[in-house]
Amino acid sequence: MRHPHGARSTRTPGTVRGVLGALLALVALLALVVATPSSYAAPAPAAAPTTSTSTGTSTSTKVVVRRTLRVVLRLVNATRATGYTCGDTFYPAVRPVRLDRKLNRAAARFARLLAKRDFFAHESPDGSGPGDRITAARYRWQAYGENIAAGYETAAAVVQGWLDSPGHCVNLMNGTYTEVGLGHAYRADSDYGDYWVQDFARPR
């Protein structure tokens, strides 16, 4: 099932919209952008992609995950370098984002939680949101955005899914963000198997 969803907010209240994708598809995704603490809305849905970190603990699994995430980062920055049309709007080239250790920690932890608890939403079961998780990782931010996705098996597929979804695409092309954290987790007995998290941010 393809289940895209997007959200973004500023200092003013946002709007919320939800769209269900085709029932026979096997993928899901969400996008969230936040410019101020604890203030965010959930607008139009998109496709189903995100970044990666894994629940596996073996050295070989960790190496594969790191390589996968490097591919995600490369594809994201290649798109930012050339510009991209998100929906009907062209977004010009912006500077690349660089990986941040603390954002990586926040994204990886949330990806593992999505897989372990088998849910798909920006809000955790305890009620915490992206800003709370990023702050808990000791990252001091002035703006952030989150894309999540489920069901995509490769880095290329998840990035393309985001780009095909206007809301997620705008997150990816947002020049405000200078840093990113990527997370991926896999759980065979979960609804979607693969779960991806991408946390963009701009530090204070």
Side-chain angles (χ1 to χ4, degrees):
M1 168 176 129
R2 187 173 290 275
H3 183 100
H5 179 286
R8 86 178 48 155
S9 79
T10 57
R11 296 182 186 278
T12 57
T15 59
V16 180
R17 291 185 294 170
V19 177
L20 292 178
L23 295 176
L24 299 180
L26 298 176
V27 212
L29 155 150
L30 290 152
L32 169 68
V33 184
V34 180
T36 57
S38 70
S39 166
Y40 66 87
T50 310
T51 54
S52 56
T53 315
S54 170
T55 53
T57 55
S58 71
T59 300
S60 59
T61 298
K62 291 179 180 178
V63 169
V64 170
V65 168
R66 282 196 294 268
R67 288 175 178 170
T68 300
L69 295 179
R70 282 199 293 268
V71 174
V72 171
L73 180 64
R74 186 169 69 247
L75 292 173
V76 167
N77 280 332
T79 303
R80 288 171 67 94
T82 58
Y84 202 84
T85 300
C86 302
D88 297 324
T89 304
F90 177 75
Y91 288 80
V94 291
R95 297 176 67 85
V97 287
R98 60 183 177 274
L99 281 177
D100 177 81
R101 179 175 52 85
K102 294 177 180 178
L103 289 175
N104 267 349
R105 184 185 308 146
R109 286 175 176 171
F110 191 49
R112 289 193 294 268
L113 183 64
L114 289 171
K116 181 179 180 180
R117 298 290 293 274
D118 200 8
F119 74 101
F120 189 70
H122 286 291
E123 186 174 296
S124 300
D126 66 1
S128 61
D132 301 310
R133 294 188 292 270
I134 293 173
T135 299
R138 299 182 181 280
Y139 184 92
R140 291 171 57 81
W141 54 270
Q142 60 175 291
Y144 69 81
E146 179 175 86
N147 284 341
I148 67 174
Y152 290 93
E153 297 182 357
T154 68
V158 77
V159 172
Q160 190 58 54
W162 276 326
L163 292 175
D164 291 342
S165 161
H168 301 85
C169 181
V170 170
N171 259 3
L172 195 148
M173 289 301 301
N174 193 329
T176 296
Y177 306 134
T178 58
E179 299 179 332
V180 69
L182 307 172
H184 168 268
Y186 175 79
R187 190 179 180 96
D189 61 354
S190 64
D191 285 344
Y192 297 106
D194 292 277
Y195 294 82
W196 306 75
V197 177
Q198 186 175 52
D199 286 330
F200 294 99
R202 183 183 188 89
R204 289 184 185 175

